[in-house]
Amino acid sequence: MNLLRLSAITLAIFAATTFSLSASVKDLPIKSINGKSYYYYDVPQKETVYSLCHKLGISKEEIIKHNPSVADGLKYGTTLFFPVDDDSEHLTNKDVTDHNGSRTITHKVEKGQTIYGISTKYGISSEMLIKQNPIVSEGLKAGQELHITIPGSGTQKVVSTQNDTNVAETKSEPSMTGYIVKKKETFYSIAQAHGLTVAQLEAANPNVSLLKEGQVLNIPSPESFIAETVPADTITVETVAPKDSALTIAVILPFMLKEETPSKTAQRYTEFYKGLLLAVDSLRNNGTPIHLSAYDSEGSLDKVKELLETPEMKNNRIIVAPDNQAQLTAIGEFGRNNNIKVFNTFVVKDESYMHNPAMMQGNLPSAEMYRKAIDAYTERLSYSYPVFISMAGSPGDKADFVDDLKKNLTEKGIQFNDITIDGRLSSAELKQLPSKNSYTFIPTSAKQSDLNKIMPALIEWRDNDITATVRLFGYPEWTTFRGETLTNMNNLNALVYSRFYTDDDNYRARALENKYKQWYGTSMENAVPRQGLLGFDTGMFLIKYLKYPAARYDGIQNGYTFISPNDADGWYNNVLYLVNFRPGGLIEKINL
């Protein structure tokens, strides 16, 4: 006998006793188990028996009567059950259970209740509640009686295929078995072990947000879902409709699945794919089915050519290509010949988009990046006096950008100054500058060590010798700096251009990090860029792009807006950010 059945039998025994449920207990959601309805409550962290009694308005003895395990104390993640049958005010004599285990009850609407609240209480959708009681579409009224059917394990359920034609199909509610969570297991590992997707496992356990050792999960039968058979060396997300009506995406990356210990690089591409899976999950109700397949390139051009020869590869509408130039070229030609877009986000300097209409360069080309950054500088800082700082004996690693910026300033008639330092900048060297109300300093080097030789003197000079404003203008590399360097960048109101940026304190970033950890049991690698975020943003954009080719997307880390210049056949991403590290620690990301 599995644990779920044992739990149900225990509940059935305790249902024979009676007690008067409090109003707070009656506000809990309801689920049907073996044809009987129970209020249920998931114990959160730091909950105590005392606080629970106060919250539900019942005694400890009443809780233990229906949940004997509480006698040993509450445990985080435990689900407590209270029989609905004992609540004569809530259910009437019209309460009926059919042969499928469906339970039809009568609910009397109370003041302040909503459609969403009632449907959530009984574990059905708002749409199903309205379908069963059409009158509620005109609004709820206190005293109304609603007839609500809670599906049982054998109920046939109408499932939308999410096509534009609104065609529907029927499938059986998945049969369930119980599974005891082991130490360090995750949603992802359990789903993989049982032939499920994480989305399917979560749907079967809607009230479980974090896994703990010893928890019991509902495991739906994989046969209950419509799935597609794919080659053994691929990873797939299930499709729910024919491919010709789905958003079909293939990912070809060096996952190196045959290696006993995957390299750091392989792990990063796996993290990218995991982030992409989270995007698919986020948009699974977008109105059109999504089919995603991932193939291991094994880091080999021959393997890539072998994959491209498989018949199913031509069914894709977009292929996400690996980081190897030769492999990217082969996939690009395949895309050109089969009218399939090829998304390149890993080969930054590739220019095949210039002559191949299938290519989508996911990175703003360097020349365009410099142009947009310089335009942003002159538009926002034309009032401020520019000062370029270089190190003696070195032109600096940003000499090309600096030369272009100086040329632009000269063409616009904007004067500037140059300072060359030997070692560290001193405030005495700054006193030679002409008197101005505002200064912007532009180092010719992006190195952190060089920046740290400059900033202390700028702060000292500003605070002690002048009344003018002082700020920095800098480079993408600066977005990786932390500690005292970052603090000084904030102090100097630094403005930095970059193809991507993520603020770890942003609520979207925190929410996705939590979701990633929930699914996979580990955090994303602390790197720049973060591959999990790149995968998520890429997936969110591509799914929208397949539906709306002119789509724009401003992501957590990366943004996408593709254009095709007059002298090119393909496309490139035109997004560039200005990141403002403002005083007080505030960080602002501006999409140019």
Side-chain angles (χ1 to χ4, degrees):
M1 180 184 295
N2 63 49
L3 289 185
L4 287 182
R5 290 182 59 199
L6 179 61
S7 220
I9 292 172
T10 304
L11 286 169
I13 293 172
F14 283 114
T17 64
T18 62
F19 77 102
S20 177
L21 294 175
S22 71
S24 295
V25 172
K26 289 190 288 184
D27 286 337
L28 296 176
I30 293 175
K31 68 167 56 175
S32 180
I33 301 176
N34 284 10
K36 291 185 176 294
S37 295
Y38 297 88
Y39 297 107
Y40 66 94
Y41 177 82
D42 294 317
V43 178
Q45 287 182 319
K46 299 182 180 180
E47 182 84 272
T48 65
V49 173
Y50 175 81
S51 64
L52 180 60
C53 291
H54 180 75
K55 182 184 296 184
L56 298 183
I58 58 179
S59 67
K60 178 180 178 180
E61 289 71 23
E62 289 172 326
I63 296 175
I64 294 174
K65 181 189 300 183
H66 298 280
N67 301 274
S69 63
V70 175
D72 299 324
L74 287 179
K75 294 182 179 180
Y76 166 52
T78 302
T79 300
L80 307 181
F81 293 92
F82 304 94
V84 171
D85 285 341
D86 292 334
D87 183 11
S88 59
E89 293 181 1
H90 193 80
L91 298 178
T92 71
N93 55 12
K94 298 177 183 178
D95 179 19
V96 176
T97 301
D98 65 17
H99 67 283
N100 286 321
S102 297
R103 190 172 179 82
T104 301
I105 65 173
T106 300
H107 175 90
K108 190 173 183 179
V109 178
E110 299 176 3
K111 186 177 180 180
Q113 287 189 314
T114 64
I115 293 175
Y116 176 78
I118 295 173
S119 60
T120 301
K121 175 187 286 288
Y122 293 104
I124 63 175
S125 66
S126 299
E127 291 77 9
M128 183 178 292
L129 178 65
I130 295 172
K131 184 177 181 181
Q132 294 176 3
N133 300 271
I135 191 172
V136 305
S137 61
E138 302 173 3
L140 290 177
K141 295 181 180 179
Q144 279 181 322
E145 287 191 349
L146 306 181
H147 301 285
I148 300 171
T149 299
I150 304 173
S153 60
T155 302
Q156 292 291 306
K157 177 181 178 183
V158 177
V159 181
S160 171
T161 60
Q162 300 180 344
N163 290 321
D164 294 335
T165 54
N166 293 323
V167 177
E169 62 181 20
T170 61
K171 71 175 183 177
S172 297
E173 191 76 8
S175 58
M176 301 286 182
T177 58
Y179 178 79
I180 303 175
V181 177
K182 300 181 181 65
K183 189 175 183 179
K184 294 186 178 181
E185 283 193 309
T186 66
F187 278 95
Y188 180 77
S189 65
I190 295 172
Q192 290 286 92
H194 290 86
L196 304 169
T197 67
V198 175
Q200 290 169 348
L201 184 61
E202 284 187 326
N205 299 273
N207 301 296
V208 179
S209 57
L210 292 174
L211 293 184
K212 291 287 184 179
E213 182 181 6
Q215 275 182 318
V216 178
L217 289 184
N218 294 323
I219 303 295
S221 168
E223 291 76 16
S224 303
F225 297 94
I226 302 174
E228 183 180 52
T229 302
V230 297
D233 60 350
T234 69
I235 312 168
T236 190
V237 174
E238 83 281 1
T239 182
V240 293
K243 282 185 178 179
D244 57 5
S245 65
L247 309 179
T248 50
I249 303 171
V251 179
I252 302 178
L253 292 175
F255 297 113
M256 312 308 287
L257 299 177
K258 293 182 179 179
E259 292 183 351
E260 185 173 345
T261 304
S263 66
K264 198 72 174 178
T265 300
Q267 292 176 34
R268 286 171 180 161
Y269 286 118
T270 301
E271 180 177 304
F272 172 89
Y273 178 68
K274 289 178 177 180
L276 205 155
L277 285 176
L278 291 176
V280 173
D281 179 70
S282 298
L283 295 178
R284 65 179 182 270
N285 296 320
N286 76 96
T288 307
I290 303 166
H291 175 80
L292 173 68
S293 295
Y295 299 83
D296 186 2
S297 70
E298 300 179 4
S300 163
L301 178 59
D302 290 338
K303 180 62 177 181
V304 168
K305 290 180 177 179
E306 176 188 326
L307 293 171
L308 294 177
E309 291 175 357
T310 58
E312 67 269 15
M313 195 62 70
K314 293 183 179 180
N315 294 334
N316 293 294
R317 294 170 60 184
I318 286 183
I319 299 175
V320 178
D323 64 344
N324 178 275
Q325 183 66 64
Q327 296 168 27
L328 174 64
T329 299
I331 296 171
E333 287 306 305
F334 177 85
R336 183 207 296 267
N337 296 333
N338 294 280
N339 195 28
I340 299 171
K341 293 294 184 185
V342 177
F343 189 86
N344 164 37
T345 191
F346 296 112
V347 185
V348 177
K349 295 183 178 181
D350 175 71
E351 295 184 349
S352 57
Y353 70 91
M354 293 294 296
H355 55 80
N356 187 342
M359 294 301 301
M360 299 176 68
Q361 169 56 272
N363 301 278
L364 180 66
S366 294
E368 287 301 306
M369 178 172 66
Y370 283 178
R371 182 191 62 78
K372 293 190 73 169
I374 290 170
D375 287 347
Y377 177 94
T378 54
E379 288 172 6
R380 289 166 168 78
L381 297 172
S382 59
Y383 65 90
S384 185
Y385 187 75
V387 181
F388 295 90
I389 302 180
S390 58
M391 303 294 166
S394 172
D397 57 329
K398 295 299 178 180
D400 291 343
F401 174 82
V402 169
D403 289 344
D404 288 348
L405 177 54
K406 286 182 176 180
K407 180 180 178 180
N408 187 278
L409 294 174
T410 300
E411 290 173 351
K412 289 180 168 56
I414 300 175
Q415 294 183 333
F416 55 84
N417 210 316
D418 286 285
I419 295 179
T420 300
I421 63 173
D422 186 5
R424 300 180 69 86
L425 177 67
S426 68
S427 57
E429 293 172 282
L430 298 170
K431 292 177 181 179
Q432 309 304 315
L433 293 173
S435 178
K436 299 290 181 180
N437 293 324
S438 177
Y439 299 88
T440 298
F441 290 86
I442 309 103
T444 62
S445 167
K447 296 178 180 178
Q448 185 173 8
S449 59
D450 290 340
L451 182 59
N452 287 335
K453 295 174 183 177
I454 294 171
M455 291 191 293
L458 295 179
I459 295 172
E460 179 185 352
W461 178 63
R462 179 201 62 191
D463 293 345
N464 299 327
D465 297 332
I466 64 171
T467 58
T469 60
V470 174
R471 69 184 312 180
L472 284 170
F473 187 85
Y475 308 103
E477 292 85 346
W478 292 11
T479 63
T480 68
F481 299 162
R482 299 292 183 266
E484 185 179 357
T485 305
L486 177 58
T487 299
N488 286 338
M489 285 168 55
N490 284 117
N491 192 334
L492 289 165
N493 201 14
L495 198 61
V496 173
Y497 67 87
S498 180
R499 293 185 177 100
F500 55 84
Y501 183 74
T502 181
D503 178 3
D504 291 336
D505 290 331
N506 178 275
Y507 77 95
R508 292 173 65 197
R510 293 199 306 270
L512 186 65
E513 175 68 42
N514 290 336
K515 186 71 172 178
Y516 186 97
K517 192 169 185 178
Q518 174 189 335
W519 273 40
Y520 305 117
T522 185
S523 299
M524 299 179 201
E525 182 186 14
N526 187 20
V528 179
R530 301 178 77 180
Q531 292 301 312
L533 294 182
L534 177 59
F536 178 81
D537 286 335
T538 297
M540 293 293 285
F541 168 74
L542 291 181
I543 294 168
K544 293 180 179 181
Y545 173 83
L546 287 175
K547 297 190 70 177
Y548 312 105
R552 300 168 59 94
Y553 174 72
D554 188 15
I556 298 174
Q557 176 178 263
N558 295 73
Y560 295 106
T561 300
F562 278 83
I563 64 171
S564 181
N566 293 332
D567 58 345
D569 296 325
W571 305 77
Y572 70 75
N573 181 19
N574 194 40
V575 167
L576 184 68
Y577 291 110
L578 273 184
V579 185
N580 192 180
F581 296 88
R582 295 165 59 179
L586 180 65
I587 299 175
E588 181 181 14
K589 184 169 74 171
I590 305 161
N591 190 336
L592 298 175

